[in-house]
Amino acid sequence: MTPATGGSFVDKINVPRRDVTPLPEGVDPIQVAGLVNPGFSSWMALRKRCENLPERFSILILGATSKSGRLAIPLARHLGAQRVVGVARDEAALSTLGLDETITLKEPVKQTDYSKLGHVDVILDYVYGPPGAHLLKNIKSEGRVQYVHIGALAGPEMAVPGDALRSHDLVIRGSGTGAFDSGAIAKELPALLAALVKAPVQQVKVEKLQDVERVWEEEQGERVVFVT
């Protein structure tokens, strides 16, 4: 596997040997192709955008039923999470993800009940917007809370409540390609691949590369991997 392709689709490509990472034994290449990108979203957030996490930390994933959110659950456990809380609108889907606790995101979002949440060390936010603001307004921390913005499924802007900043030891960061350099991603790739070996199999749709134009125009509800 290599991060040096720039996202193009071709039958064959030459890349420098130093940019190639061998796949660990036992990993499914199709799973890797479909999951590395969403997997990196939570992996890099926890490895590079959080600091001094306690052992057996607790984590809340806002948007836990999204493709990236689903994968964040086993990856967080791999990195030491003892308690994983998932928040999303689909209550039935939440119940299938092996979470320790679930919270259903309501509409309007102010009806979402965080009264029993308690302290979490980390928040990974794939939703942002009003749901993210409502969560920050209702955290009940017993120490530092590290909030990492990753996605914006509910919109690109969020009004952070001032009292949340004044009342808690709250650290707010974002995680994305501009938050760390490509060298950091390359260094983390072997460890992420090893973690993916142990992760539950995720649904991936396999298509022939020769059909890329047709598939590209179709509405996709799952990850697509092109093969030759």
Side-chain angles (χ1 to χ4, degrees):
M1 180 163 185
T2 173
T5 60
S8 301
F9 290 99
V10 293
D11 292 306
K12 297 179 181 179
I13 187 171
N14 291 322
V15 296
R17 184 179 294 274
R18 66 177 181 273
D19 290 333
V20 177
T21 301
L23 296 183
E25 185 176 351
V27 71
D28 180 356
I30 298 297
Q31 286 284 299
V32 170
L35 302 181
V36 161
N37 189 50
F40 258 131
S41 69
S42 57
W43 186 270
M44 296 302 287
L46 291 170
R47 291 280 294 152
K48 295 300 180 181
R49 302 303 289 160
C50 294
E51 296 178 348
N52 302 317
L53 286 175
E55 293 185 11
R56 299 159 64 87
F57 62 90
S58 57
I59 181 171
L60 180 146
I61 302 169
L62 181 57
T65 59
S66 65
K67 296 178 181 66
S68 298
R70 289 170 183 263
L71 196 52
I73 298 165
L75 293 180
R77 293 197 190 280
H78 182 86
L79 291 172
Q82 179 188 29
R83 173 175 168 245
V84 183
V85 182
V87 183
R89 298 187 188 281
D90 191 334
E91 188 173 358
L94 280 171
S95 68
T96 68
L97 300 179
L99 292 155
D100 299 302
E101 301 169 30
T102 63
I103 297 173
T104 304
L105 194 62
K106 302 291 187 179
E107 185 61 43
V109 294
K110 290 184 178 180
Q111 294 182 4
T112 305
D113 184 8
Y114 290 108
S115 62
K116 297 180 181 179
L117 173 61
H119 174 77
V120 290
D121 298 300
V122 181
I123 296 170
L124 298 186
D125 186 358
Y126 290 96
V127 180
Y128 210 56
H134 180 65
L135 170 59
L136 291 180
K137 188 175 182 179
N138 286 275
I139 58 174
K140 296 177 176 62
S141 64
E142 299 171 0
R144 173 160 292 186
V145 178
Q146 301 190 56
Y147 165 93
V148 186
H149 162 59
I150 303 173
L153 295 173
E157 297 182 356
M158 181 177 76
V160 179
D163 57 348
L165 299 176
R166 297 190 303 270
S167 304
H168 305 286
D169 185 2
L170 179 63
V171 177
I172 298 178
R173 293 189 177 97
S175 185
T177 54
F180 33 75
D181 58 35
S182 59
I185 295 176
K187 289 179 181 178
E188 291 293 328
L189 183 55
L192 173 60
L193 292 175
L196 288 176
V197 174
K198 303 176 182 178
V201 174
Q202 304 288 319
Q203 188 170 4
V204 176
K205 184 178 181 181
V206 180
E207 296 280 2
K208 291 288 188 180
L209 182 58
Q210 65 192 40
D211 298 324
V212 64
E213 292 186 24
R214 172 186 60 80
V215 176
W216 208 259
E217 296 299 323
E218 295 176 353
E219 183 176 347
Q220 302 294 338
E222 53 196 339
R223 302 292 295 184
V224 177
V225 173
F226 290 102
V227 297
T228 56

